[in-house]
Amino acid sequence: GLLRHLYVDICPPSLQNEEISSVPAVAPMRPVAVAPTTAPVPDWLTPLLDRPLVYVTLGTVYNRDLSVFAAVLDGLRDEPVSVVVTIGQDNDPAALGPRPANVAVHRYVPQAALLQHCSAAVVHGGAGTVLGALAAGVPLVCLPQGADQYGNADQVVAAGAGLTLLRDELTPQAVRAAVATVLEDPGYRLAARRIADEIAAMPAPAEALAAITRLIA
């Protein structure tokens, strides 16, 4: 009964569940909050752009386990990539210890501005981060921690836009191998770019608003 009148859907077709076909009235809407921007490059980021850039985030809720960040950094710190890690406002970057010049750790960075420079992202699988990365055509390594993240990660893998490592699979070696795979196999970036095109082609919010207005009227 909850979905019988109108369902506003921000999910691009490649990530959609088959069950959407059973919803009688669906209004697709482009998730504009995750759209890439053309913001100027921050001064601290410029020296990192001479290598493929990997963004690491566990979002704003599931970021308290610093051992996950540590495993990812241990896997990538000696690789020929640059790494930007955001650990959340409540965590201290110093808690991750000394880091090489190719690794930058911050509490927060606007992801829409950062993702346009990224070659891959290691994420928890939250909807905002997944859609934001794919809107920028960035392939993913998903480390789901809870909630909807497992399902989102499954959809990313099924679409060919990334890989998943579960908690019992998370080791520095596994992270290193997964990131190398999504960077080196062009199929992952092609799939991510296909989804980026799908997101860009989705109706603007004004069109979804028109559908809502018609329903109310």
Side-chain angles (χ1 to χ4, degrees):
L2 199 61
L3 302 178
R4 67 183 175 180
H5 294 301
L6 181 65
Y7 178 66
V8 178
D9 181 25
I10 64 170
C11 188
S14 289
L15 302 181
Q16 188 54 265
N17 292 314
E18 294 180 1
E19 289 83 353
I20 194 69
S21 61
S22 65
V23 179
V26 178
M29 186 181 80
R30 186 187 322 135
V32 293
V34 303
T37 72
T38 55
V41 178
D43 291 342
W44 61 264
L45 181 59
T46 300
L48 299 177
L49 297 181
D50 60 348
R51 300 179 178 191
L53 184 63
V54 179
Y55 175 44
V56 180
T57 179
L58 298 179
T60 57
V61 176
Y62 288 87
N63 58 14
R64 294 171 186 157
D65 186 353
L66 295 184
S67 69
V68 178
F69 291 109
V72 174
L73 286 181
D74 285 348
L76 298 181
R77 62 191 306 128
D78 295 325
E79 294 298 288
V81 298
S82 293
V83 183
V84 173
V85 185
T86 55
I87 62 173
Q89 299 288 6
D90 295 330
N91 291 322
D92 182 359
L96 292 177
R99 47 194 176 270
N102 65 318
V103 175
V105 180
H106 293 268
R107 285 187 168 91
Y108 172 78
V109 176
Q111 77 168 15
L114 179 63
L115 285 167
Q116 64 183 314
H117 304 291
C118 291
S119 297
V122 180
V123 304
H124 61 307
T129 306
V130 166
L131 291 176
L134 294 177
V138 176
L140 301 169
V141 174
C142 296
L143 313 176
Q145 306 293 301
D148 63 335
Q149 298 159 25
Y150 294 95
N152 295 338
D154 287 345
Q155 294 299 99
V156 167
V157 172
L163 299 172
T164 292
L165 294 174
L166 299 179
R167 288 298 294 260
D168 61 355
E169 301 170 323
L170 183 60
T171 65
Q173 295 79 12
V175 171
R176 186 182 307 122
V179 170
T181 298
V182 300
L183 286 175
E184 295 169 6
D185 185 337
Y188 292 100
R189 179 161 288 275
L190 287 173
R193 287 177 174 168
R194 183 187 72 245
I195 297 172
D197 290 340
E198 291 179 357
I199 292 173
M202 293 173 74
E207 297 178 59
L209 178 59
I212 294 171
T213 303
R214 288 193 298 271
L215 177 67
I216 295 172

